[in-house]
Amino acid sequence: MQYGTLLISKAIEANDPNALLRFNVSEADFQTQGERKAFRYVMDYAEKHRGQAPTAEMVANEVPEFQPDFNIEASYDYLAKNLKDRAAEREFIELMNGRIDPETNRQVQEPQLEKRFIEAQKSGDMGKFFEWLTGQAESLKMRTSVRNSVGTDIKRDIDKFKAEYENRKAGESFRIWRSKFDFVNKAMGGYVSSNVYVIYGKSGRGKSAVSLEEVTNCAMQGANVLIWSMEMGWYEVLVRLYVSISGTMGVTTATLDGVDMEAGFNSRDVRQGKLSDEFEAGFMEFLDRLNEIIPGNITVRAVDDEDFGSRTLRDLKSDIIETKADVVLVDPFYYLDYEANTSKTAGGDAANTSQKLRRLAGHTKTTIFALTQADEDDEKETEDGARELKLPQRKDVKKTKALLEDAALLIAVDTNAKEGRGLIGLNKGRDGGEGEVAEIIYLPQIGVVKQPEMGAGAADVFEF
């Protein structure tokens, strides 16, 4: 059946050429030269004549090789879906066998699948072949996509809204992950899936430690967490995670300003393999119990992983799907392999990557934390020589300003590990909370990064 001919004929007969646009039909979907010429003519005519279709006689006169068929009972949706299915089949066959020019019967494109496979074998890099193959599969999948409406109609799609409401009520459509820091939850209700949250601060000021606390807290709520650590090695990341979790459990006690508090294992001793016999036994028992301690899971991809050479958003999406991730940490954003600078403007590659990261969060329904640096400025010290804590502002976001626009929330961090204190502030809160700041206890070396308890556990929150 000539689905292309039937679809164009239906659009002509119904004087509805825009149907071809509504159903996402393109010239490449049609099989014959006559259908392609007829499609171009109908669309050009409609553009010049306010959406009107040419008559059958006009089309026949302009495109003699196109023979319309007005004996059509099938719907637009049915015809468009079958047209696209056939187009995808042809594209796959061309990958396998090459492209043949139907007019000259000559091969104009050699088989790509076999060619790419042989090249990958010779180079010893099968990963690139599978990356290319995955891209082709995604392209073919998109080829079969039929769009039959634009957006969501406020009146017509009430049932769609009700279904989504019930899904959200049941916690199936989206999730809200509680922050470890109560003032964040009070200010904006936690972290919502399908959003990007940007944590930023000056170099060495605790943004990685704070972000690890947040994603670990999500795992404790049952989330599958994926960490892309592009600065730290896997062992260092796991040390920080284990120490953080042990601090939450309170495996030991530490004292700060005369106050005892629950703490975890010492990260330096774990990092160097120098735990005392007593603590080592306790640490090994702690590791053996992780499966029952953490309701969710954490997967770490680190800078020293041998198979972590490619860091594109396509690779990230693949890892999200593979690990069934709910929460993702990208540390730092500017170490991603940036998307092409299609705008040809300064910083366009980073901006394009930021926009696509936001789309990725939406498509995968994940909560994504992206880390970036803040610009450096002059340090200020108090009279006794202590460094004054100062949170960076919006304008201080470094590397890419696009993150300002694409993030649901900017989280500013400044800490002083020597003094065991820090500040966390909320900037540009799409869901509220902008301008709020909380003091935190910052002793990451023993797994203590938290808001201090005041009175009946109230948070020390103020505005700046």
Side-chain angles (χ1 to χ4, degrees):
M1 185 179 293
Q2 295 295 319
Y3 294 106
T5 298
L6 291 174
L7 187 60
I8 295 172
S9 300
K10 187 177 181 71
I12 294 171
E13 185 176 37
N15 192 21
D16 187 17
N18 284 331
L20 302 175
L21 295 178
R22 292 199 306 272
F23 286 85
N24 200 28
V25 174
S26 69
E27 183 179 334
D29 292 326
F30 295 96
Q31 182 173 4
T32 67
Q33 287 293 338
E35 289 175 342
R36 294 191 185 104
K37 288 181 181 179
F39 173 79
R40 286 198 302 270
Y41 175 67
V42 170
M43 300 313 295
D44 289 344
Y45 185 93
E47 185 176 351
K48 295 174 183 176
H49 296 85
R50 298 185 178 183
Q52 297 297 305
T55 64
E57 291 77 11
M58 294 168 67
V59 177
N61 182 62
E62 188 71 24
V63 189
E65 59 265 54
F66 178 76
Q67 298 296 321
D69 183 348
F70 295 120
N71 186 25
I72 314 159
E73 296 181 359
S75 66
Y76 281 121
D77 185 78
Y78 174 83
L79 294 173
K81 182 67 170 65
N82 279 278
L83 175 70
K84 285 182 166 293
D85 283 344
R86 300 301 180 272
E89 289 175 7
R90 291 196 306 274
E91 190 171 325
F92 180 74
I93 291 171
E94 287 173 359
L95 286 175
M96 294 287 291
N97 303 324
R99 182 175 299 166
I100 306 296
D101 187 335
E103 295 183 2
T104 63
N105 203 32
R106 292 181 179 178
Q107 184 165 311
V108 295
Q109 178 179 302
E110 59 185 306
Q112 291 295 304
L113 190 64
E114 183 179 1
K115 178 185 176 183
R116 297 267 185 167
F117 183 77
I118 292 173
E119 288 175 351
Q121 279 187 318
K122 289 180 178 178
S123 66
D125 188 357
M126 294 301 293
K128 284 189 176 180
F129 169 75
F130 289 119
E131 182 179 344
W132 171 82
L133 191 60
T134 300
Q136 296 301 313
E138 290 180 355
S139 176
L140 290 172
K141 182 178 179 181
M142 290 297 293
R143 164 75 79 187
T144 61
S145 174
V146 174
R147 183 183 66 202
N148 55 20
S149 64
V150 177
T152 303
D153 190 295
I154 190 172
K155 294 185 291 185
R156 186 187 65 207
D157 294 325
I158 291 175
D159 288 342
K160 175 182 176 182
F161 179 86
K162 288 180 178 179
E164 177 67 10
Y165 177 84
E166 292 300 326
N167 286 337
R168 293 190 172 211
K169 184 177 178 181
E172 296 173 356
S173 179
F174 85 124
R175 289 291 305 268
I176 296 178
W177 306 102
R178 305 286 289 175
S179 170
K180 184 174 183 179
F181 308 100
D182 285 339
F183 89 105
V184 176
N185 298 320
K186 291 178 180 178
M188 33 93 57
Y191 301 114
V192 183
S193 60
S194 300
N195 281 316
V196 173
Y197 298 91
V198 173
I199 299 176
Y200 71 112
K202 296 178 187 177
S203 179
R205 295 294 174 78
K207 55 185 180 293
S208 290
V210 168
S211 65
L212 286 175
E213 291 291 333
E214 289 290 55
V215 299
T216 300
N217 193 59
C218 292
M220 298 301 285
Q221 298 169 63
N224 283 329
V225 176
L226 171 64
I227 297 174
W228 263 32
S229 175
M230 293 173 281
E231 283 188 315
M232 288 186 287
W234 67 269
Y235 187 80
E236 172 64 22
V237 177
L238 263 60
V239 167
R240 293 190 179 202
L241 293 172
Y242 292 152
V243 169
S244 171
I245 296 167
S246 68
T248 302
M249 296 176 61
V251 298
T252 186
T253 302
T255 302
L256 178 65
D257 296 334
V259 178
D260 290 339
M261 67 181 71
E262 293 182 338
F265 297 101
N266 187 292
S267 62
R268 181 181 60 186
D269 293 342
V270 177
R271 189 178 298 111
Q272 298 177 356
K274 294 184 177 180
L275 289 167
S276 66
D277 291 343
E278 180 183 357
F279 273 99
E280 183 176 287
F283 183 65
M284 294 304 165
E285 181 183 351
F286 160 77
L287 293 180
D288 291 339
R289 293 179 52 217
L290 273 180
N291 197 46
E292 60 187 75
I293 293 171
I294 308 177
N297 192 36
I298 303 176
T299 303
V300 177
R301 292 273 270 161
V303 65
D304 52 354
D305 287 349
E306 292 183 1
D307 62 345
F308 198 29
S310 179
R311 299 163 188 177
T312 66
L313 292 183
R314 178 177 289 176
D315 297 316
L316 180 59
K317 181 179 180 181
S318 176
D319 284 357
I320 289 172
I321 295 171
E322 179 69 23
T323 60
K324 296 181 174 61
D326 304 299
V327 175
V328 179
L329 172 60
V330 177
D331 182 10
F333 168 83
Y334 49 84
Y335 277 177
L336 287 169
D337 293 341
Y338 281 172
E339 299 291 304
N341 185 359
T342 54
S343 66
K344 306 299 181 184
T345 58
D349 51 353
N352 196 16
T353 306
S354 176
Q355 291 168 6
K356 290 189 176 181
L357 183 68
R358 172 69 185 87
R359 293 178 200 166
L360 180 62
H363 292 162
T364 57
K365 291 183 170 57
T366 51
T367 299
I368 298 182
F369 293 92
L371 272 60
T372 193
Q373 282 193 22
D375 287 319
E376 300 288 339
D377 58 10
D378 295 334
E379 300 287 350
K380 292 184 179 180
E381 294 185 352
T382 60
E383 293 181 358
D384 59 2
R387 180 176 63 79
E388 179 181 345
L389 291 174
K390 180 184 177 184
L391 289 173
Q393 304 300 304
R394 288 193 195 192
K395 62 182 178 61
D396 299 322
V397 173
K398 197 175 179 181
K399 305 294 184 182
T400 173
K401 301 300 182 183
L403 285 171
L404 281 167
E405 305 300 327
D406 299 321
L409 180 73
L410 296 177
I411 303 171
V413 176
D414 191 20
T415 62
N416 188 329
K418 290 183 179 179
E419 298 178 3
R421 63 195 183 98
L423 292 176
I424 299 177
L426 306 184
N427 287 335
K428 193 243 167 184
R430 189 179 296 155
D431 297 317
E434 182 169 347
E436 293 195 354
V437 178
E439 292 186 359
I440 62 170
I441 300 171
Y442 186 73
L443 298 168
Q445 66 273 19
I446 53 172
V448 180
V449 180
K450 64 179 183 179
Q451 283 183 240
E453 295 183 2
M454 300 183 63
D460 184 12
V461 182
F462 53 93
E463 294 201 359
F464 68 101

